[in-house]
Amino acid sequence: MSLPHAILTALLERPSSGLELTRRFDKSIGYFWSATHQQIYRELGRLEADGLIRALPAEQPARGQKKSYGVLPAGRAELSRWTAAAQDPKPLRDTLLLRLRAAAVVGTAGLEADLRRHLDLHRVQLTEYEEIERRDFPPGKDSPQDRLQHLVLRAGIDLETFWTRWLEHALAEFAELPPGQDG
């Protein structure tokens, strides 16, 4: 149920068209909650039908003009209700960890190379997040909105830091495995 809330959040930050929302998802919200162009448009239709958002009047009438959406009071109330509601953490489901568990019984063939690939991907993501932090959150930028948005980014930085360190540790363990672990 989080995609509609992600869209409501984005629209409260700035009224947007579906295409603009897709681009914004790719640049920010998509780092922690992804959605395709089709999912966003489908959800915009549902939110509008439910009376939570509305298409804003066009500045100049024109055929084929993209619709921009704004949040109605009912949409703000729904987002406030959802934000305040308790929610349990989701259990971790990661195929890499499951593959490591399986390697314990069938061998490690090919897994070390994939661990290195994952490490490279997490390093790239960590670097990107750190660049966003330097660019978007300089010292002194500390309004309540900035602080909360920075907190979300810090979660990404901390998670990528965790995965980078864990993968380095896993690769060190692989280096110490006795030969013949390839099943």
Side-chain angles (χ1 to χ4, degrees):
M1 182 81 178
S2 295
L3 179 57
H5 299 101
I7 291 172
L8 287 170
T9 300
L11 290 175
L12 279 169
E13 290 172 345
R14 184 175 67 237
S16 303
S17 69
L19 181 59
E20 290 166 339
L21 280 173
T22 300
R23 289 180 181 148
R24 288 173 58 205
F25 263 69
D26 289 344
K27 293 179 184 175
S28 62
I29 292 174
Y31 285 116
F32 56 91
W33 196 268
S34 62
T36 66
H37 188 72
Q38 293 82 7
Q39 289 172 314
I40 290 171
Y41 272 93
R42 202 170 28 244
E43 200 56 54
L44 284 170
R46 284 188 197 122
L47 290 168
E48 190 172 26
D50 291 345
L52 301 178
I53 65 171
R54 69 178 172 94
L56 299 173
E59 291 177 16
Q60 298 175 353
R63 278 189 71 179
Q65 186 172 349
K66 53 187 174 179
K67 283 196 252 183
S68 284
Y69 294 89
V71 177
L72 293 168
R76 179 181 282 277
E78 168 53 23
L79 188 59
S80 293
R81 182 209 59 78
W82 179 77
T83 301
Q87 189 172 35
D88 293 336
K90 300 278 185 221
L92 177 63
R93 290 179 56 163
D94 190 287
T95 56
L96 180 61
L97 298 177
L98 183 57
R99 290 172 52 220
L100 273 172
R101 181 69 184 254
V105 293
V106 298
T108 61
L111 200 48
E112 184 174 359
D114 202 38
L115 288 172
R116 290 186 191 290
R117 186 179 70 81
H118 277 251
L119 178 58
D120 290 342
L121 292 170
H122 284 289
R123 284 178 173 158
V124 166
Q125 190 65 66
L126 177 59
T127 299
E128 186 174 343
Y129 285 163
E130 290 171 338
E131 288 171 6
I132 291 169
E133 183 178 43
R134 277 189 294 281
R135 182 191 70 218
D136 294 349
F137 299 100
K141 189 172 182 184
D142 62 356
S143 72
Q145 183 176 356
D146 290 331
R147 291 175 74 175
L148 292 174
Q149 288 176 347
H150 191 196
L151 192 59
V152 173
L153 178 61
R154 282 301 321 168
I157 290 169
D158 291 348
L159 285 169
E160 293 303 329
T161 299
F162 161 78
W163 281 112
T164 300
R165 288 181 183 155
W166 182 85
L167 285 158
E168 289 167 348
H169 176 77
L171 287 165
E173 289 290 327
F174 263 69
E176 293 182 16
L177 290 175
Q181 293 295 307
D182 292 341

